[in-house]
Every structure is written in C-alpha cells, then in structure tokens.
Amino acid sequence: METIGGDLRQMQRTPLATAHVEALRIAGSAARYPAGAFLARPGEPVDRFVYVEEGEIEVVNPYTDERHLPSTIGPTQFMSEISLLNGGAWSMAMRAVRDTRVIEVPREAMLTLMSQIPEMSDIIITVLSARRRRQLEERISSLRLIGEDDDRNVRRIAEFASRNHIPYISLPLGSPEAEASAHRCAIAPGVPAVIFGRDVVVTEPTPDKVARLLGLNLDFGDDEVFDVLIVGGGPAGVAAGVYAGAEGLCALVVEDVAIGGQAGTSSRIENYMGFPTGISGADLVWRGEVQAMKFGTRFAMPRRAVLLERLDDESFCATFDNGQRVRAKAVVVATGVQYRRLPLARLTDFEGTGIYYAATEIEARYSKGTDTVIIGGGNSAGQAAMFLSRSARCVRVLVRGASLAASMSSYLSSRLEADPRITIEYGAEVSALHGAEHLEALSIRDVKTGANRVVDARALFVMVGAAPNTEWLSGLVKLDDKGFVITGSGVGSAASPFATSLPGIFAVGDVRAGSVKRVASSVGEGSVVISKVWEFVNH
C-alpha cells in the first residue's frame, strides 16, 4: 500500500545540482558553527534552510543529549524538516559534530526558490517526506506521552498526533523509560504526562496546546485578509488549497481535528485512481497538504470556525473557537460530514475508552485482541472491518438493513462476507452499553422482533449516518432540510455548480447537497471550484 514518502534508507542519494547550490548561496548567507553548537532545538521555528558545505550535523536525543541516530548530515546534504513548508517548529534537536560551515537561506526566500526551481523542490520535498516517514516508523520524536492507555487526555493527544502524521513516543505508566522521563522533568512518577523537548511538561494537555508547541496553530494578525478561506481540511478542502496556491491566491485552510477529515480515518482506499495497491485516507490527504504548502497555501489546526459574517465591503469575516478572526474575499465551505452520535445512555462515558469514530492505527492498537463491533453499512465501515480484523479477536458488523448492496461497494462487501474473522449481522442495532471505566459489553437488539442479547465487546466503532457541519454558516446560505448546502441550479446559479445562494461563498465535497460521497469526487470538486473563486476574487 502507498505511504507518505519513500524509505529513506533505500533511497538513492540525489544531491542538489551545482546550479541549485549557487542559487542557495545567492539567496542565503554563510554561517559557521563550532563543534557542540546547537543549530536547532525542539519547538524553535523552522525559519531557515541549512545546506552543509563542510562539517557534520547530528540529530540529538533531547533527553540525554546523546546522538539519536547513527547517520549524520554531511557535506552536500541539507538540514531541514517538512515543517519548513508551513513555518512549523523543529521536532528534534540538531547539533554540529565538528566545526561546520553551512549556507543558511531564510524560509521565505527558500520557498520562493523552490517555486522557481521545480527540480530542486522535487529533491527537497522527496527527502523531507522520507525523513518524516522514518520518524513515524521508528518513533523518532521529542514529543513523549506517558500513560496513553490509562488517561483520556493523553489519549486525545496521541490521536491528534497520529492523525496529523506527528511522530511521538508512547511510554506505558510505570515503565523504566517513563520513570526516567518523569525524573528528568521533576514530575511525580506514575502520573500520565505529555512532555515536549527536554523539560516542557504540558499541563492539562489539549491538542491545541500541542499544536502550538509544534507551530501548527497559527496566530493571525487582527482581521488578517486572505483571498480565500477554505474551511475544512478533508479531500475537498485540501484539493482546493492545492489549486488556490497554484493559481496564486492567498489561501488559508483551517481544520478542527486533523488534516484528512473523515476520509483521513479510512485505513485503505483501493478505488482511488492512481493507487492500484491502495492508500490510506490520511496518507493521501497528507500528500495533498504538502503539495498545497509547496504552493504557499497556509494551514491552521486545530481551529474550528464558529461564526461567519458578511461585511459592508462584501468580504467575509470568520471567527474561530479561540476568538481569533480572519477576513477573506471568498469562502470555500468544505466542512464535510461527521458520523452521528448514537442516542445511547453513557455514550460520553465510553467515548475514547471503548467507543471510537475512526479506525486508524491507533484505534487498532486499542482494540488489539478484543471483541470489536462496528455499526454501519457504508464503505468506511467495510474498510474498518477489514483493517481491524488483523488485530481484533473478532469483528462483528451490525447493519440495520437487510443488505449491503445499496451502501457498500461490491468488491468490499464480498471481502467481508468471505473473511472468517468478520461476522455481518443484518437487522441489528446497539441498544445499551455496559462497563465500568471501559466498555466491556453491549446489548444488541433485533430490529424486527425487539429481542435483546448481551455480547462482550471492548471496542465499538460508530460509522452510521452523516450530519453536515454547517451551523457556523450563520444562516448566510440556503440549506436543505437535512442541513446540507444547496448549490448551483438549486439556488438559481448557472455560473458554477458549487456556488451557493450568497455570491462569494462556495461549497464542495460531502457538505454540498446532492454530492457524491466519495473521495475522488470531493477532490475533483475542490480542484474545479478554484477557477470560479479566482474569477470572483479578481472580478
């Protein structure tokens, strides 16, 4: 299956060409670092690109100050991370092994060079993506989570990091590594904690606080103005971000949970053209995010839009959940849909401790060796069943209807029916949840007879129904009776099938009434809409 980058250890080393180095020298300046000097520390902004001419740079373990990896960065190589593209922070400490001479190019100047010299940009982005892949696979990070399996707040950080391709190290409570980390940070042993860098302990950890440490939660100037604000970082929103940047629009994409949206929770997409072996939704959209950032599109998360207003000059003002505001000449609504929460007693008690709305690697680990139940008959539920069956003891899929034919792709339903580890129960629904601190069992009701039975279950995945995220639109555009945004001919617009009832606001992807709920169509809509956004902004 396709992933986010090449294997760094197997990649053929492709140095920058002589012309590339000369361009760096013109745009940047020479700098020297004596042996032992730190070039970067975790949390500092990636504000420059560093090309090594002489010397050697090593990755340093922030907790021990010892070399973290056997390989180092030497002459003709460069020091940087993928966060160079969005102005994020360094995730690891970097130190000169011996006297080192480098060329340093300021970030903005480097992004300009990359846009002007695509061959150089290709080399750099390929290497940076491979480095991030290695960090994820080998858990190379300055972000440490203690007690992920025991504390709901720490688990939320793990889920946020995992879905956003942020590497982290998870340490079980009471393990020698957790005790040593607690001692270095002068915190009580045996207590769940989130630690960043050498000694930054995140009190009352939230995704927002961690995002700030990593430079992902951007601060905007008062009423900063963009050509287009794209609300939603799923396939449609990220595709719009790619094309907006490519067309020279000043664009901002905001996402309240994780780049990838609901599609980012799909463990394997096999029917997306160009990926014959399949690709996870998170990896697909991550590639798009990198592509958009290369063109200058900015991303901010976790950031939820709570209010949209139209100003006297016919521009728009969006207010976010943290009180910050931005202005935009046009708005693309790409907020998608979310799975409906079941009307069950104690639902909130078990959310994150047995009840989940996504089936990614992290949820698969939580459900390893357990009896797992999935509610839903769509493709997402089917992919989740196939994915979780590798780690769960058994997987039970509950479908209210009598068949999967109308809701799930044929290739997928046939796989579920053929897999001995998966059981499909038609005409069934969950009626009650049981357990103390964690989900332990649930009641299943027969839709026809009303009979109930109790089955053991440590994990319940809810993937049923779809509620559009449109409350923040504040009544500015017309919605259908289910809350989806009406566009095109439905509001009398012949100019664009994605135009809403208010000029300047466009809707794409699953949030749009009548759209095809597939990743490929969302990507297509996000790509196509930008031509009309460009016309509106520049009319």
Side-chain angles (χ1 to χ4, degrees):
M1 190 169 72
E2 295 279 353
T3 186
I4 65 171
D7 188 327
L8 192 62
R9 292 157 295 189
Q10 297 178 3
M11 286 175 57
Q12 181 179 359
R13 185 167 171 270
T14 306
L16 297 178
T18 302
H20 301 159
V21 178
E22 186 58 30
L24 296 177
R25 188 171 285 112
I26 294 172
S29 59
R32 289 183 177 272
Y33 292 90
F38 279 86
L39 284 77
R41 293 185 184 272
E44 294 179 347
V46 183
D47 57 2
R48 68 200 191 283
F49 179 88
V50 181
Y51 179 84
V52 181
E53 292 195 295
E54 291 181 3
E56 187 179 9
I57 298 172
E58 62 185 349
V59 178
V60 179
N61 185 315
Y63 302 95
T64 65
D65 273 350
E66 297 175 353
R67 178 178 293 184
H68 201 55
L69 299 172
S71 56
T72 59
I73 299 172
T76 75
Q77 295 179 303
F78 52 86
M79 181 191 99
S80 191
E81 292 190 23
I82 198 71
S83 48
L84 171 78
L85 299 179
N86 70 334
W90 291 99
S91 65
M92 296 297 296
M94 310 293 291
R95 180 174 62 195
V97 178
R98 55 179 184 270
D99 290 352
T100 299
R101 178 166 57 88
V102 301
I103 300 172
E104 296 188 336
V105 183
R107 174 178 170 271
E108 292 296 334
M110 189 63 205
L111 295 180
T112 299
L113 279 183
M114 291 172 67
S115 68
Q116 295 172 344
I117 312 175
E119 296 82 4
M120 180 175 70
S121 176
D122 291 346
I123 294 171
I124 292 171
I125 289 178
T126 299
V127 171
L128 298 187
S129 297
R131 286 178 179 173
R132 177 52 58 92
R133 174 182 172 181
R134 184 178 183 184
Q135 281 187 281
L136 291 167
E137 291 178 344
E138 300 183 10
R139 299 293 184 182
I140 303 168
S141 178
S142 296
L143 179 63
R144 290 195 172 195
L145 310 184
I146 300 176
E148 174 189 344
D149 294 334
D150 302 275
D151 185 87
R152 184 175 298 191
N153 289 333
V154 178
R155 190 179 296 115
R156 285 182 64 206
I157 303 304
E159 292 167 355
F160 172 76
S162 179
R163 288 189 60 187
N164 285 291
H165 288 90
I166 299 167
Y168 69 94
I169 300 169
S170 183
L171 304 175
L173 274 179
S175 65
E177 296 87 351
E179 298 290 317
S181 296
H183 177 73
R184 291 192 191 99
C185 297
I187 59 177
V191 175
V194 175
I195 304 169
F196 183 71
R198 188 179 184 87
D199 53 10
V200 177
V201 179
V202 184
T203 58
E204 299 181 358
T206 64
D208 181 79
K209 290 181 178 180
V210 172
R212 286 189 175 279
L213 289 172
L214 296 167
L216 301 175
N217 196 330
L218 303 179
D219 287 322
F220 307 109
D222 291 338
D223 294 337
E224 186 172 346
V225 180
F226 293 86
D227 288 328
V228 57
L229 170 65
I230 301 166
V231 184
V238 172
V242 170
Y243 280 81
E247 293 300 320
L249 295 174
C250 178
L252 170 67
V253 180
V254 296
E255 168 59 42
D256 67 341
V257 178
I259 299 301
Q262 187 173 305
T265 67
S266 178
S267 56
R268 188 183 185 96
I269 300 173
E270 291 188 82
N271 56 358
Y272 191 85
M273 190 187 73
F275 296 94
T277 59
I279 187 170
S280 75
D283 287 353
L284 176 67
V285 182
W286 188 85
R287 290 182 177 210
E289 180 187 4
V290 171
Q291 208 172 357
M293 289 191 296
K294 182 185 76 170
F295 289 125
T297 295
R298 294 167 65 184
F299 286 77
M301 61 181 175
R303 193 68 58 85
R304 180 188 294 270
V306 295
L307 176 67
L308 185 66
E309 300 170 278
R310 192 186 194 195
L311 304 179
D312 292 339
D313 63 358
E314 297 189 350
S315 66
F316 300 93
C317 178
T319 303
F320 302 117
D321 51 357
N322 62 355
Q324 289 184 324
R325 304 191 308 175
V326 298
R327 293 175 58 185
K329 300 173 184 176
V331 176
V332 173
V333 181
T335 42
V337 297
Q338 59 189 4
Y339 291 123
R340 297 185 186 278
R341 301 172 79 243
L342 298 175
L344 294 173
R346 302 192 65 196
L347 180 75
T348 57
D349 293 346
F350 296 122
E351 286 180 325
T353 58
I355 294 181
Y356 309 104
Y357 299 89
T360 65
E361 290 287 351
I362 194 166
E363 287 84 14
R365 183 161 60 81
Y366 294 154
S367 59
K368 185 176 182 180
T370 68
D371 294 333
T372 298
V373 175
I374 299 172
I375 304 175
N379 276 6
S380 295
Q383 291 289 3
M386 295 298 300
F387 177 64
L388 294 168
S389 67
R390 305 172 196 165
S391 55
R393 183 164 53 199
C394 65
V395 176
R396 192 190 309 262
V397 180
L398 305 184
V399 183
R400 280 184 57 87
S403 170
L404 291 172
S407 58
M408 187 180 294
S409 296
S410 176
Y411 81 92
L412 192 53
S413 61
S414 62
R415 288 183 186 177
L416 264 63
E417 292 167 351
D419 195 322
R421 296 163 297 182
I422 299 174
T423 301
I424 305 174
E425 294 189 19
Y426 297 102
E429 63 183 8
V430 173
S431 57
L433 308 171
H434 311 286
E437 295 182 357
H438 299 271
L439 182 68
E440 298 173 7
L442 49 83
S443 296
I444 298 178
R445 178 168 54 215
D446 186 293
V447 174
K448 288 185 177 180
T449 67
N452 281 280
R453 72 185 192 280
V454 178
V455 299
D456 292 335
R458 296 278 298 187
L460 172 64
F461 290 82
V462 181
M463 298 180 168
V464 59
N469 298 315
T470 51
E471 297 86 354
W472 63 279
L473 289 169
S474 314
L476 290 178
V477 300
K478 291 183 179 179
L479 309 177
D480 68 8
D481 57 355
K482 295 181 180 179
F484 290 89
V485 181
I486 302 174
T487 61
S489 58
V491 291
S493 173
S496 169
F498 312 115
T500 69
S501 57
L502 183 60
I505 300 181
F506 302 82
V508 293
D510 289 359
V511 76
R512 190 176 67 83
S515 66
V516 178
K517 305 301 189 275
R518 288 290 186 269
V519 171
S521 62
S522 293
V523 170
E525 291 186 11
S527 305
V528 172
V529 73
I530 293 302
S531 63
K532 294 300 180 182
V533 172
W534 191 94
E535 288 179 10
F536 181 84
V537 169
N538 292 281
H539 72 282

